[in-house]
Amino acid sequence: MTPFGERVRRLRQAKGLQLKEMAAQLGVSAPYLSALEHGHRGRPAPGLIMQIAGLLGCIWDEAEELKRLAELSHPRVTIDTAGLSPARTELANRLAEKIATLPEDKVATVLELLKD
């Protein structure tokens, strides 16, 4: 599941919306919305993000947060280190190698280091 999908699912459930009902209101298929929530689809289009935010009753800050989460939620990431230092290339490769087995506390630590 992606950060965007997790948030959408939580907001949808809090509103008491069934997946099929929300999909119909958005004009998308239930399988597409399910795949979006579970991280099996790439980032949604900006217009769909705003439709989702509106349907879920998100205020400005919440809508902006949904947009930010969508930007951070591509399930298949490619990192191009061409022209970067060897240390940066090593970092990208080590992260790719270890991401699936890193303990959650270490993931949280790395995320904290990378936040703006």
Side-chain angles (χ1 to χ4, degrees), residues 6-62:
E6 179 183 44
R7 179 68 54 85
V8 168
R9 184 177 204 171
R10 231 181 20 229
L11 290 169
R12 176 179 61 76
Q13 290 174 337
K15 291 281 184 190
L17 284 170
Q18 295 294 316
L19 188 112
K20 283 184 181 182
E21 180 184 358
M22 182 171 166
Q25 290 183 33
L26 291 170
V28 299
S29 71
Y32 172 78
L33 185 56
S34 177
L36 199 57
E37 284 188 1
H38 287 91
H40 300 297
R41 295 293 295 213
R43 287 178 229 147
L48 181 57
I49 296 167
M50 296 318 294
Q51 279 184 278
I52 290 169
L55 180 63
L56 296 173
C58 295
I59 58 173
W60 291 104
D61 289 346
E62 291 173 317

Side-chain angles (χ1 to χ4, degrees), residues 39-110:
H40 300 297
R41 295 293 295 213
R43 287 178 229 147
L48 181 57
I49 296 167
M50 296 318 294
Q51 279 184 278
I52 290 169
L55 180 63
L56 296 173
C58 295
I59 58 173
W60 291 104
D61 289 346
E62 291 173 317
E64 286 301 313
E65 177 70 3
L66 272 182
K67 284 173 40 181
R68 189 185 70 75
L69 289 174
E71 291 170 5
L72 298 172
S73 291
H74 200 296
R76 296 173 198 242
V77 178
T78 302
I79 301 173
D80 181 1
T81 63
L84 299 179
S85 71
R88 292 171 191 271
T89 299
E90 180 182 356
L91 172 63
N93 281 276
R94 285 186 181 270
L95 184 57
E97 182 181 272
K98 304 273 186 186
I99 191 81
T101 59
L102 275 176
E104 288 300 319
D105 64 318
K106 298 226 185 237
V107 171
T109 299
V110 172

